[in-house]
Amino acid sequence: MAQVSSAPFGIRIVPDNQPAGVPAWVPPPGYFADVPMKNMPQDVTPALYRSIGDAMDNPFTVWGGSAILRDYSSLGAQVYYSGGHEATTSLPNVQFSLICDFSTLTWSVANVPTSANIATTFVNGYAPDDTPYTPHTYLGLQELPRAWGGGVRGSLMSFFWAGSPYENRINVLDVAQLNYGYSRFVTRQPQNADPTRIRFTASDASRGTYPITVMDDVRQGWWVATNGSAHYTLFVSRTGDITQYPALGGNLANGALVLCNRLNLLIALDGGYSSGPYAGTAYRRMYIRNLETGAMTTISTAGTVPSLTHGYDGGGTNFHRLDSLGLQWVDELGCIVGLDQTVSPPVIVRLTPPATDPASAAWTWERVPLQHWPNDSGGQSQLQAAQNNIWSKFRWVPSLHAFVYGTAKNRRPQVVKL
Protein backbone atom coordinates (compact mmCIF):
# COMPACT_ATOMS: atom_id res chain seq x y z
CA MET A 1 0.00 0.00 0.00
CA ALA A 2 1.50 3.38 -0.97
CA GLN A 3 1.31 6.31 1.46
CA VAL A 4 2.17 9.90 0.50
CA SER A 5 4.10 11.85 3.17
CA SER A 6 3.83 15.56 3.93
CA ALA A 7 7.19 16.22 2.24
CA PRO A 8 6.93 17.31 -1.42
CA PHE A 9 6.99 14.37 -3.82
CA GLY A 10 7.96 11.95 -1.02
CA ILE A 11 6.49 8.47 -1.36
CA ARG A 12 6.87 5.69 1.24
CA ILE A 13 6.03 2.07 0.42
CA VAL A 14 4.49 0.16 3.33
CA PRO A 15 4.14 -3.61 2.84
CA ASP A 16 0.75 -5.17 3.29
CA ASN A 17 1.30 -7.71 6.09
CA GLN A 18 -1.97 -9.53 5.50
CA PRO A 19 -2.96 -11.55 2.45
CA ALA A 20 -6.26 -10.66 0.84
CA GLY A 21 -9.32 -11.85 2.75
CA VAL A 22 -7.66 -12.16 6.15
CA PRO A 23 -9.88 -10.50 8.81
CA ALA A 24 -8.66 -7.42 10.68
CA TRP A 25 -8.55 -9.29 14.01
CA VAL A 26 -5.59 -11.40 12.86
CA PRO A 27 -2.43 -9.67 14.15
CA PRO A 28 0.68 -8.91 12.09
CA PRO A 29 3.66 -11.30 12.09
CA GLY A 30 5.35 -11.67 15.45
CA TYR A 31 2.19 -11.14 17.52
CA PHE A 32 -0.67 -13.06 19.12
CA ALA A 33 -4.18 -11.93 20.08
CA ASP A 34 -7.59 -13.17 21.17
CA VAL A 35 -10.03 -14.37 18.54
CA PRO A 36 -12.97 -11.97 19.16
CA MET A 37 -15.64 -14.62 19.67
CA LYS A 38 -19.17 -13.40 20.42
CA ASN A 39 -19.93 -16.21 22.86
CA MET A 40 -18.18 -18.93 24.87
CA PRO A 41 -18.33 -22.73 24.67
CA GLN A 42 -20.12 -22.85 28.02
CA ASP A 43 -22.92 -20.78 26.46
CA VAL A 44 -23.81 -23.59 24.04
CA THR A 45 -23.95 -26.51 26.48
CA PRO A 46 -26.43 -29.06 25.09
CA ALA A 47 -29.51 -29.41 27.28
CA LEU A 48 -28.74 -33.12 27.52
CA TYR A 49 -25.56 -32.44 29.51
CA ARG A 50 -26.38 -29.34 31.58
CA SER A 51 -26.51 -31.40 34.76
CA ILE A 52 -22.89 -32.50 34.16
CA GLY A 53 -20.72 -29.69 35.46
CA ASP A 54 -17.66 -30.49 33.37
CA ALA A 55 -19.40 -31.45 30.10
CA MET A 56 -18.00 -28.48 28.17
CA ASP A 57 -14.53 -29.09 29.58
CA ASN A 58 -14.26 -32.42 27.77
CA PRO A 59 -13.27 -31.13 24.31
CA PHE A 60 -10.45 -29.09 25.86
CA THR A 61 -9.15 -31.10 28.81
CA VAL A 62 -9.69 -34.80 28.14
CA TRP A 63 -6.59 -35.65 26.11
CA GLY A 64 -7.89 -34.53 22.75
CA GLY A 65 -7.59 -32.20 19.84
CA SER A 66 -9.26 -30.60 16.88
CA ALA A 67 -9.23 -30.29 13.10
CA ILE A 68 -9.79 -27.39 10.73
CA LEU A 69 -12.79 -27.88 8.42
CA ARG A 70 -12.29 -25.56 5.47
CA ASP A 71 -15.76 -26.18 4.01
CA TYR A 72 -17.66 -25.11 7.12
CA SER A 73 -17.83 -21.42 6.16
CA SER A 74 -15.94 -18.86 4.10
CA LEU A 75 -13.10 -18.77 6.65
CA GLY A 76 -13.60 -22.31 7.90
CA ALA A 77 -14.01 -23.61 11.44
CA GLN A 78 -12.03 -25.38 14.12
CA VAL A 79 -13.85 -28.44 15.44
CA TYR A 80 -12.97 -29.91 18.85
CA TYR A 81 -13.91 -33.44 19.88
CA SER A 82 -12.75 -35.51 22.85
CA GLY A 83 -14.03 -37.34 25.89
CA GLY A 84 -13.87 -40.52 27.92
CA HIS A 85 -13.06 -41.28 31.55
CA GLU A 86 -16.51 -40.56 32.98
CA ALA A 87 -16.43 -39.88 36.71
CA THR A 88 -18.73 -42.87 37.29
CA THR A 89 -20.16 -45.57 35.03
CA SER A 90 -23.64 -44.23 35.72
CA LEU A 91 -22.87 -40.98 33.90
CA PRO A 92 -23.37 -40.60 30.16
CA ASN A 93 -20.49 -40.41 27.72
CA VAL A 94 -20.48 -36.76 26.63
CA GLN A 95 -21.07 -36.97 22.87
CA PHE A 96 -20.89 -33.88 20.67
CA SER A 97 -18.57 -31.86 18.47
CA LEU A 98 -17.75 -28.27 19.41
CA ILE A 99 -17.36 -25.79 16.56
CA CYS A 100 -15.49 -22.47 16.47
CA ASP A 101 -16.64 -20.67 13.28
CA PHE A 102 -14.12 -18.09 12.12
CA SER A 103 -16.65 -16.39 9.82
CA THR A 104 -19.46 -15.72 12.32
CA LEU A 105 -17.15 -15.72 15.37
CA THR A 106 -19.58 -17.96 17.22
CA TRP A 107 -19.33 -21.28 19.04
CA SER A 108 -21.90 -24.02 18.40
CA VAL A 109 -22.35 -27.74 18.93
CA ALA A 110 -23.30 -30.54 16.56
CA ASN A 111 -23.68 -34.32 16.54
CA VAL A 112 -25.59 -34.43 19.82
CA PRO A 113 -27.64 -37.59 20.59
CA THR A 114 -31.29 -37.07 21.46
CA SER A 115 -30.91 -39.04 24.69
CA ALA A 116 -28.00 -39.73 27.02
CA ASN A 117 -25.90 -42.86 26.49
CA ILE A 118 -24.66 -44.24 29.80
CA ALA A 119 -20.99 -45.27 29.68
CA THR A 120 -21.77 -48.93 30.44
CA THR A 121 -24.19 -49.29 27.51
CA PHE A 122 -21.56 -49.15 24.73
CA VAL A 123 -20.86 -52.42 22.90
CA ASN A 124 -17.58 -52.50 20.98
CA GLY A 125 -17.59 -48.72 21.00
CA TYR A 126 -21.17 -48.00 19.95
CA ALA A 127 -24.26 -47.08 21.95
CA PRO A 128 -27.73 -48.60 21.36
CA ASP A 129 -28.55 -45.62 19.10
CA ASP A 130 -25.38 -46.48 17.07
CA THR A 131 -23.52 -43.32 18.09
CA PRO A 132 -19.83 -43.92 18.83
CA TYR A 133 -18.18 -43.59 22.19
CA THR A 134 -16.29 -40.29 22.39
CA PRO A 135 -12.74 -41.36 23.28
CA HIS A 136 -9.50 -39.53 23.90
CA THR A 137 -8.60 -38.24 20.45
CA TYR A 138 -4.98 -37.07 20.89
CA LEU A 139 -3.54 -36.57 17.37
CA GLY A 140 -6.29 -38.61 15.72
CA LEU A 141 -8.63 -35.91 14.36
CA GLN A 142 -8.57 -34.91 10.70
CA GLU A 143 -10.70 -33.19 8.07
CA LEU A 144 -12.84 -35.06 5.53
CA PRO A 145 -13.56 -32.39 2.88
CA ARG A 146 -16.84 -32.24 1.05
CA ALA A 147 -15.03 -32.99 -2.23
CA TRP A 148 -13.76 -36.25 -0.73
CA GLY A 149 -17.16 -37.42 0.44
CA GLY A 150 -17.61 -35.35 3.60
CA GLY A 151 -20.75 -33.47 4.51
CA VAL A 152 -21.92 -30.25 2.92
CA ARG A 153 -19.90 -28.28 5.50
CA GLY A 154 -17.14 -30.84 5.71
CA SER A 155 -16.85 -33.70 8.19
CA LEU A 156 -14.61 -34.56 11.11
CA MET A 157 -12.74 -37.88 11.09
CA SER A 158 -11.90 -39.51 14.41
CA PHE A 159 -9.28 -42.25 14.23
CA PHE A 160 -10.90 -44.18 16.98
CA TRP A 161 -8.51 -46.30 18.99
CA ALA A 162 -7.14 -43.80 21.52
CA GLY A 163 -7.84 -44.31 25.22
CA SER A 164 -10.32 -47.15 24.76
CA PRO A 165 -10.31 -50.94 24.37
CA TYR A 166 -12.49 -50.83 21.29
CA GLU A 167 -11.56 -52.06 17.83
CA ASN A 168 -9.75 -49.70 15.50
CA ARG A 169 -12.28 -47.98 13.29
CA ILE A 170 -12.61 -44.49 11.86
CA ASN A 171 -15.75 -42.58 12.77
CA VAL A 172 -16.99 -39.65 10.69
CA LEU A 173 -18.99 -36.70 12.06
CA ASP A 174 -21.06 -34.64 9.63
CA VAL A 175 -20.90 -31.34 11.51
CA ALA A 176 -23.86 -29.91 9.59
CA GLN A 177 -26.09 -32.21 11.66
CA LEU A 178 -27.18 -30.92 15.06
CA ASN A 179 -28.30 -34.39 16.09
CA TYR A 180 -26.43 -37.57 15.24
CA GLY A 181 -24.68 -37.26 11.85
CA TYR A 182 -22.27 -40.13 12.62
CA SER A 183 -21.07 -42.78 10.19
CA ARG A 184 -18.22 -45.28 9.95
CA PHE A 185 -15.52 -44.89 7.35
CA VAL A 186 -15.31 -48.14 5.41
CA THR A 187 -11.69 -49.22 5.02
CA ARG A 188 -9.96 -52.08 3.22
CA GLN A 189 -6.56 -53.17 4.52
CA PRO A 190 -4.53 -56.03 3.00
CA GLN A 191 -4.42 -59.26 5.06
CA ASN A 192 -7.20 -57.93 7.29
CA ALA A 193 -10.29 -60.11 7.37
CA ASP A 194 -12.50 -57.35 8.76
CA PRO A 195 -12.49 -54.54 6.17
CA THR A 196 -13.43 -51.87 8.72
CA ARG A 197 -10.56 -52.58 11.11
CA ILE A 198 -7.11 -51.03 11.13
CA ARG A 199 -3.93 -52.60 12.44
CA PHE A 200 -0.26 -51.73 12.63
CA THR A 201 1.36 -55.12 13.16
CA ALA A 202 1.51 -58.28 11.06
CA SER A 203 -0.63 -60.07 13.62
CA ASP A 204 -3.55 -58.49 15.40
CA ALA A 205 -1.85 -58.67 18.80
CA SER A 206 -1.34 -54.92 18.97
CA ARG A 207 -4.27 -52.78 17.92
CA GLY A 208 -2.35 -49.56 18.33
CA THR A 209 -3.14 -46.61 20.56
CA TYR A 210 -2.18 -42.94 20.81
CA PRO A 211 -2.87 -42.16 17.13
CA ILE A 212 -0.59 -39.86 15.18
CA THR A 213 -2.10 -38.78 11.87
CA VAL A 214 -1.65 -36.17 9.17
CA MET A 215 -3.74 -35.17 6.15
CA ASP A 216 -2.28 -35.35 2.62
CA ASP A 217 -4.09 -33.05 0.17
CA VAL A 218 -1.90 -34.10 -2.77
CA ARG A 219 -2.50 -37.84 -2.46
CA GLN A 220 -6.00 -37.31 -1.09
CA GLY A 221 -5.89 -39.25 2.11
CA TRP A 222 -4.28 -39.50 5.54
CA TRP A 223 -1.01 -40.91 6.86
CA VAL A 224 -1.62 -42.89 10.03
CA ALA A 225 0.79 -44.25 12.62
CA THR A 226 0.80 -45.08 16.29
CA ASN A 227 3.08 -44.65 19.25
CA GLY A 228 4.32 -48.02 20.45
CA SER A 229 4.95 -51.29 18.66
CA ALA A 230 4.22 -51.07 14.93
CA HIS A 231 5.27 -52.83 11.75
CA TYR A 232 3.42 -50.44 9.45
CA THR A 233 2.80 -46.81 8.75
CA LEU A 234 -0.48 -46.66 6.84
CA PHE A 235 -1.88 -44.48 4.10
CA VAL A 236 -5.67 -44.35 4.18
CA SER A 237 -7.05 -43.01 0.90
CA ARG A 238 -10.23 -40.96 0.59
CA THR A 239 -11.86 -44.11 -0.82
CA GLY A 240 -10.90 -46.15 2.26
CA ASP A 241 -8.14 -48.21 0.65
CA ILE A 242 -5.25 -48.75 3.07
CA THR A 243 -1.66 -49.16 1.87
CA GLN A 244 0.90 -50.59 4.30
CA TYR A 245 4.42 -49.18 4.38
CA PRO A 246 7.33 -50.16 6.62
CA ALA A 247 6.85 -48.26 9.86
CA LEU A 248 8.65 -44.97 10.30
CA GLY A 249 10.47 -45.50 13.58
CA GLY A 250 8.43 -48.56 14.43
CA ASN A 251 8.39 -48.13 18.19
CA LEU A 252 8.01 -44.42 18.85
CA ALA A 253 8.00 -43.01 22.38
CA ASN A 254 5.41 -40.23 22.39
CA GLY A 255 6.26 -39.27 18.84
CA ALA A 256 4.52 -37.19 16.20
CA LEU A 257 3.89 -37.48 12.46
CA VAL A 258 4.45 -34.54 10.08
CA LEU A 259 4.01 -34.20 6.32
CA CYS A 260 6.34 -31.67 4.69
CA ASN A 261 4.40 -31.02 1.49
CA ARG A 262 6.90 -28.78 -0.27
CA LEU A 263 9.77 -31.16 0.52
CA ASN A 264 7.74 -34.30 -0.28
CA LEU A 265 8.82 -35.86 3.02
CA LEU A 266 6.87 -37.79 5.63
CA ILE A 267 8.56 -37.45 9.02
CA ALA A 268 8.11 -39.24 12.33
CA LEU A 269 9.69 -37.43 15.28
CA ASP A 270 10.52 -39.58 18.29
CA GLY A 271 10.30 -38.72 21.96
CA GLY A 272 12.09 -40.11 24.98
CA TYR A 273 14.43 -39.46 27.91
CA SER A 274 17.73 -37.61 28.07
CA SER A 275 18.61 -38.90 31.56
CA GLY A 276 17.51 -41.47 34.10
CA PRO A 277 16.92 -45.22 33.74
CA TYR A 278 15.41 -44.86 30.26
CA ALA A 279 18.01 -42.43 28.91
CA GLY A 280 18.79 -42.36 25.20
CA THR A 281 19.09 -40.09 22.20
CA ALA A 282 15.86 -41.14 20.47
CA TYR A 283 14.26 -37.78 21.28
CA ARG A 284 16.62 -36.17 18.75
CA ARG A 285 15.76 -38.56 15.94
CA MET A 286 13.72 -37.87 12.85
CA TYR A 287 12.65 -40.81 10.71
CA ILE A 288 12.12 -39.63 7.15
CA ARG A 289 10.49 -41.21 4.10
CA ASN A 290 10.99 -39.54 0.73
CA LEU A 291 7.53 -39.90 -0.77
CA GLU A 292 8.87 -39.61 -4.31
CA THR A 293 11.57 -42.29 -4.10
CA GLY A 294 10.48 -44.28 -1.05
CA ALA A 295 13.95 -43.91 0.48
CA MET A 296 14.07 -43.89 4.29
CA THR A 297 16.67 -42.07 6.38
CA THR A 298 17.22 -41.35 10.06
CA ILE A 299 18.75 -38.02 11.06
CA SER A 300 19.26 -36.00 14.21
CA THR A 301 18.17 -32.58 15.43
CA ALA A 302 20.16 -29.71 16.89
CA GLY A 303 19.13 -27.07 19.41
CA THR A 304 17.11 -27.39 22.61
CA VAL A 305 14.35 -30.02 22.40
CA PRO A 306 11.34 -29.20 24.63
CA SER A 307 11.24 -31.41 27.73
CA LEU A 308 8.89 -31.87 30.66
CA THR A 309 9.91 -31.31 34.27
CA HIS A 310 9.03 -34.89 35.15
CA GLY A 311 8.77 -37.96 32.98
CA TYR A 312 6.99 -41.19 33.77
CA ASP A 313 9.97 -42.24 35.89
CA GLY A 314 9.65 -39.16 38.12
CA GLY A 315 13.10 -37.91 37.17
CA GLY A 316 14.28 -34.38 36.49
CA THR A 317 13.98 -32.26 33.34
CA ASN A 318 14.44 -35.16 31.02
CA PHE A 319 11.30 -36.30 29.19
CA HIS A 320 10.70 -35.09 25.64
CA ARG A 321 7.01 -35.54 24.65
CA LEU A 322 6.96 -34.46 21.03
CA ASP A 323 3.41 -35.73 20.51
CA SER A 324 2.02 -33.11 22.88
CA LEU A 325 3.31 -30.04 20.97
CA GLY A 326 0.81 -30.04 18.10
CA LEU A 327 3.67 -30.16 15.58
CA GLN A 328 2.82 -29.40 11.96
CA TRP A 329 4.66 -28.33 8.83
CA VAL A 330 3.53 -25.11 7.11
CA ASP A 331 4.65 -24.58 3.52
CA GLU A 332 4.57 -20.79 3.62
CA LEU A 333 6.71 -20.75 6.78
CA GLY A 334 9.09 -23.48 5.58
CA CYS A 335 9.34 -25.17 8.98
CA ILE A 336 7.62 -27.38 11.55
CA VAL A 337 5.85 -25.39 14.29
CA GLY A 338 4.49 -26.37 17.70
CA LEU A 339 3.33 -24.98 21.05
CA ASP A 340 5.72 -25.81 23.88
CA GLN A 341 3.99 -26.11 27.27
CA THR A 342 7.05 -27.39 29.08
CA VAL A 343 7.63 -23.78 30.16
CA SER A 344 5.18 -21.28 31.66
CA PRO A 345 3.80 -19.35 29.92
CA PRO A 346 4.01 -21.50 26.79
CA VAL A 347 6.21 -20.54 23.86
CA ILE A 348 6.12 -21.26 20.15
CA VAL A 349 8.89 -23.50 18.84
CA ARG A 350 9.94 -24.33 15.32
CA LEU A 351 12.05 -27.07 13.78
CA THR A 352 13.80 -25.70 10.71
CA PRO A 353 15.30 -27.78 7.90
CA PRO A 354 18.93 -27.29 6.86
CA ALA A 355 19.92 -25.41 3.73
CA THR A 356 21.36 -28.69 2.43
CA ASP A 357 19.42 -31.92 1.85
CA PRO A 358 16.69 -31.98 4.55
CA ALA A 359 16.56 -35.78 4.40
CA SER A 360 20.18 -36.20 5.46
CA ALA A 361 21.30 -33.19 7.54
CA ALA A 362 20.24 -32.06 11.00
CA TRP A 363 17.17 -29.86 11.55
CA THR A 364 17.33 -27.22 14.31
CA TRP A 365 14.98 -26.51 17.23
CA GLU A 366 14.50 -22.89 18.31
CA ARG A 367 12.01 -20.71 20.14
CA VAL A 368 10.06 -18.05 18.25
CA PRO A 369 9.82 -14.64 19.96
CA LEU A 370 6.25 -13.29 20.10
CA GLN A 371 4.46 -10.35 21.68
CA HIS A 372 0.88 -9.63 22.63
CA TRP A 373 -0.63 -7.41 19.92
CA PRO A 374 -1.28 -3.91 21.35
CA ASN A 375 -4.45 -3.62 19.23
CA ASP A 376 -5.93 -6.57 21.17
CA SER A 377 -7.30 -4.35 23.91
CA GLY A 378 -8.35 -6.41 26.92
CA GLY A 379 -7.07 -9.65 25.37
CA GLN A 380 -4.94 -12.26 27.09
CA SER A 381 -1.44 -10.87 27.53
CA GLN A 382 0.24 -14.28 27.54
CA LEU A 383 -0.14 -17.41 25.48
CA GLN A 384 -2.62 -19.63 27.28
CA ALA A 385 -1.86 -23.18 28.42
CA ALA A 386 -4.02 -26.26 27.92
CA GLN A 387 -4.83 -28.77 30.63
CA ASN A 388 -3.43 -32.23 29.79
CA ASN A 389 -1.36 -30.87 26.88
CA ILE A 390 -2.22 -29.18 23.61
CA TRP A 391 -2.22 -32.14 21.16
CA SER A 392 -3.92 -31.03 17.91
CA LYS A 393 -5.81 -28.14 19.47
CA PHE A 394 -2.98 -25.96 18.11
CA ARG A 395 -3.77 -25.77 14.38
CA TRP A 396 -2.71 -23.83 11.30
CA VAL A 397 -5.75 -22.18 9.68
CA PRO A 398 -5.12 -21.67 5.93
CA SER A 399 -7.72 -18.89 5.53
CA LEU A 400 -6.14 -16.88 8.35
CA HIS A 401 -2.50 -17.66 7.49
CA ALA A 402 -2.06 -18.12 11.23
CA PHE A 403 -2.36 -20.63 14.07
CA VAL A 404 -5.40 -20.79 16.36
CA TYR A 405 -5.97 -22.74 19.55
CA GLY A 406 -8.48 -22.83 22.38
CA THR A 407 -8.00 -24.33 25.82
CA ALA A 408 -11.08 -23.76 27.97
CA LYS A 409 -14.85 -23.38 27.92
CA ASN A 410 -14.67 -19.86 29.42
CA ARG A 411 -11.69 -18.41 27.49
CA ARG A 412 -11.39 -17.06 24.00
CA PRO A 413 -9.12 -18.89 21.58
CA GLN A 414 -5.90 -17.18 20.59
CA VAL A 415 -4.57 -16.50 17.11
CA VAL A 416 -0.80 -16.60 16.56
CA LYS A 417 0.89 -15.03 13.54
CA LEU A 418 4.51 -15.95 12.73
Side-chain angles (χ1 to χ4, degrees), residues 385-417:
Q387 183 178 329
N388 296 326
N389 294 312
I390 197 68
W391 309 108
S392 58
K393 291 187 286 290
F394 180 74
R395 284 284 196 176
W396 174 258
V397 184
S399 64
L400 305 180
H401 297 267
F403 296 92
V404 174
Y405 74 106
T407 63
K409 64 184 178 184
N410 56 359
R411 281 199 298 236
R412 285 177 166 176
Q414 288 181 298
V415 54
V416 179
K417 181 76 170 182

Side-chain angles (χ1 to χ4, degrees), residues 282 293 303 312:
T293 66
Y312 292 135

Side-chain angles (χ1 to χ4, degrees), residues 145-222:
R146 179 173 54 190
W148 294 8
V152 65
R153 306 187 81 173
S155 293
L156 182 71
M157 300 187 78
S158 177
F159 290 78
F160 182 48
W161 52 89
S164 76
Y166 303 128
E167 295 177 354
N168 291 348
R169 305 179 191 274
I170 303 171
N171 290 316
V172 178
L173 289 69
D174 179 354
V175 295
Q177 305 298 317
L178 173 60
N179 299 114
Y180 299 111
Y182 297 92
S183 61
R184 299 172 207 180
F185 195 69
V186 178
T187 56
R188 294 165 293 280
Q189 181 173 350
Q191 294 85 46
N192 193 339
D194 183 339
T196 67
R197 293 190 63 182
I198 299 169
R199 64 187 183 195
F200 298 91
T201 60
S203 68
D204 204 25
S206 175
R207 292 179 174 178
T209 190
Y210 300 104
I212 50 178
T213 65
V214 64
M215 185 174 179
D216 189 331
D217 279 311
V218 174
R219 294 163 190 83
Q220 298 194 347
W222 306 267

Side-chain angles (χ1 to χ4, degrees), residues 159 161 200 212-213 222-226 232-236 257:
F159 290 78
W161 52 89
F200 298 91
I212 50 178
T213 65
W222 306 267
W223 294 97
V224 183
T226 182
Y232 315 127
T233 297
L234 307 178
F235 179 74
V236 182
L257 195 65

Side-chain angles (χ1 to χ4, degrees), residues 237-263:
S237 75
R238 59 177 285 190
T239 61
D241 294 299
I242 296 178
T243 305
Q244 299 175 172
Y245 294 89
L248 277 179
N251 191 24
L252 300 174
N254 299 98
L257 195 65
V258 176
L259 176 64
C260 300
N261 306 286
R262 194 175 71 195
L263 303 178

Side-chain angles (χ1 to χ4, degrees), residues 306-342:
S307 63
L308 296 172
T309 302
H310 297 289
Y312 292 135
D313 66 348
T317 306
N318 65 342
F319 185 45
H320 305 269
R321 286 207 64 166
L322 301 188
D323 54 350
S324 65
L325 303 177
L327 296 172
Q328 55 211 291
W329 168 271
V330 180
D331 270 337
E332 69 182 69
L333 300 177
C335 59
I336 297 170
V337 181
L339 182 76
D340 176 14
Q341 293 198 177
T342 67

Side-chain angles (χ1 to χ4, degrees), residues 244-303:
Q244 299 175 172
Y245 294 89
L248 277 179
N251 191 24
L252 300 174
N254 299 98
L257 195 65
V258 176
L259 176 64
C260 300
N261 306 286
R262 194 175 71 195
L263 303 178
N264 212 9
L265 301 177
L266 182 68
I267 299 176
L269 297 99
D270 210 351
Y273 291 86
S274 57
S275 62
Y278 306 108
T281 59
Y283 68 92
R284 287 202 175 276
R285 291 181 194 149
M286 296 174 65
Y287 301 93
I288 300 177
R289 175 175 285 116
N290 184 315
L291 294 178
E292 182 177 355
T293 66
M296 294 177 62
T297 54
T298 301
I299 63 173
S300 185
T301 61

